[in-house]
Amino acid sequence: MKNAIVLGSVLLLTTSIAQAGGLDRAGNAYSVLFEDGNYAQLSFSSTTPDVSGDFPDVVGGGSTKNMANSYTSLGFALKYGITDKIDLAVFLNQPFGADAEYTTGFYEGLTAIWESNQAAAVVKYQAAPRIAVYGGLRAVRSKAEIMIPDQLIRAGIASQIPDPLPSINPLPDALQTAIALVQSPDGALGYSAETDQNTQVGYIIGATYERPEIALRVALTYESGLTHDFGSSETLPAIGADSAKGTFDIEMPQSVTLDFQSGVAADTLVFGSVRWSEWSVWEVRPSIYESLTGDRVTGLDNDVYTYRLGVGRRVSDDLSVFAP
């Protein structure tokens, strides 16, 4: 691991690529399981996030400007009654995603993209008038891209070189390597990695308690984690890596969600959810990058808790409005 010193400080710079709230986007709407009769739902959303901050003074300071690109989400759900007690639902959506790009300042060119698609099939069984259980499988296909610009890696290496140099001859191998890399041509230290698409399967289990007379429903859902086994292509010209092939794993989080709703007045409903996702297991460690640094490109250190609360009101038999 003689090269482990040379890229270490870049890790602090790339960690900000990952969103603080994880990569959660649009998951399965399990409430579809409780709609009357056969039911289909099509959803669309467009999100324009505004995520910005300030560069450290050591790299010149100033605003990063917005580094999160807009994205759209499409979802489809279909519920079909098999018997009086058994229902089947199918879901299609994009559960995880990221599209981050620094367009100005010292981090300009630092980019991360995560794309995913999910298909899930869930069966609900009405075990008692007020109690139902459900479970099924979900398949998630994902791919990722990351780019770290030359100036970031070059600055990370330079920060590891002591000034003045130690008065020993020869210099340690790692220090000689660092000096040679800093002196490499412009652009030679730009790093990029891209994964192939990979599909993995997890499972879903849940249970609900209902009191229809007051529109009360409480549902607890568990979604298992899964581990993507990605084939990858990495490029770092300074060490002769040009679309070098490798493999690495990325673990996706398990989650537990508590959904609830209750009528509070005529035609008025309060609803919400509490969700825990184990995003602390998510790390991006491409094989060549890790062999050089001994560490990850990016990741999340903490699990994520998400809270949602809203109010809905029925205006007429054909129109309802909701305020999250």
Side-chain angles (χ1 to χ4, degrees):
M1 293 294 292
K2 68 178 184 180
N3 294 325
I5 187 175
V6 300
L7 300 180
S9 64
V10 178
L11 301 173
L12 295 177
L13 304 178
T14 58
T15 298
S16 59
I17 293 174
Q19 302 174 30
L23 278 68
D24 282 318
R25 283 193 175 172
N28 298 325
Y30 296 111
S31 60
V32 166
L33 287 163
F34 302 92
E35 295 290 344
D36 294 331
N38 298 329
Y39 182 83
Q41 176 178 289
L42 181 66
S43 61
F44 170 82
S45 66
S46 178
T47 304
T48 305
D50 187 359
V51 180
S52 62
D54 295 317
F55 290 114
D57 291 339
V58 69
V59 296
S63 173
T64 65
K65 299 186 178 179
N66 184 30
M67 44 79 67
N69 291 324
S70 300
Y71 63 91
T72 58
S73 297
L74 286 170
F76 174 75
L78 176 66
K79 176 250 184 180
Y80 180 76
I82 299 175
T83 71
D84 290 343
K85 291 188 175 183
I86 299 176
D87 295 289
L88 170 67
V90 176
F91 303 91
L92 301 173
N93 48 56
Q94 297 91 43
F96 310 116
D99 190 353
E101 179 183 11
Y102 286 90
T103 59
T104 188
F106 189 70
Y107 291 11
E108 184 176 358
L110 180 61
T111 303
I113 298 171
W114 184 284
E115 298 175 348
S116 69
N117 289 282
Q118 176 175 247
V122 179
V123 174
K124 185 196 77 171
Y125 174 66
Q126 194 71 39
R130 293 182 177 179
I131 297 174
V133 294
Y134 52 92
L137 298 175
R138 62 178 185 142
V140 179
R141 172 175 290 185
S142 301
K143 67 173 297 185
E145 299 177 31
I146 189 166
M147 289 184 285
I148 305 175
D150 179 286
Q151 71 273 12
L152 271 179
I153 294 180
R154 194 175 297 272
I157 296 171
S159 71
Q160 303 295 310
I161 300 175
D163 185 16
L165 292 172
S167 56
I168 56 175
N169 190 23
L171 294 172
D173 287 347
L175 187 52
Q176 292 185 52
T177 300
I179 293 171
L181 289 175
V182 167
Q183 294 174 347
S184 63
D186 288 347
L189 293 176
Y191 171 84
S192 64
E194 182 177 0
T195 73
D196 300 331
Q197 288 188 341
N198 180 258
T199 302
Q200 297 294 331
V201 177
Y203 64 90
I204 302 158
I205 55 174
T208 63
Y209 172 80
E210 291 185 282
R211 290 185 60 188
E213 67 273 15
I214 59 171
L216 172 68
R217 183 192 306 131
V218 180
L220 187 66
T221 307
Y222 173 77
E223 295 180 334
S224 71
L226 48 88
T227 301
H228 283 299
D229 179 15
F230 285 119
S232 63
S233 174
E234 295 178 78
T235 297
L236 184 60
I239 64 168
D242 183 9
S243 299
K245 302 301 182 182
T247 62
F248 68 101
D249 295 343
I250 297 182
E251 188 172 353
M252 303 304 291
Q254 62 180 337
S255 66
V256 177
T257 305
L258 178 67
D259 289 292
F260 60 88
Q261 67 170 52
S262 180
V264 294
D267 299 324
T268 303
L269 188 74
V270 171
F271 60 90
S273 65
V274 180
R275 177 181 174 89
W276 165 77
S277 298
E278 193 184 17
W279 278 108
S280 59
V281 303
W282 185 79
E283 295 182 320
V284 180
R285 293 176 175 269
S287 51
I288 292 176
Y289 190 93
E290 185 175 23
S291 72
L292 288 171
T293 68
D295 215 325
R296 66 193 188 186
V297 170
T298 189
L300 294 167
D301 296 324
N302 300 307
D303 295 344
V304 173
Y305 292 85
T306 306
Y307 306 92
R308 182 174 65 98
L309 185 64
V311 177
R313 182 165 179 81
R314 186 175 65 179
V315 179
S316 69
D317 290 342
D318 299 318
L319 176 64
S320 297
V321 293
F322 298 90

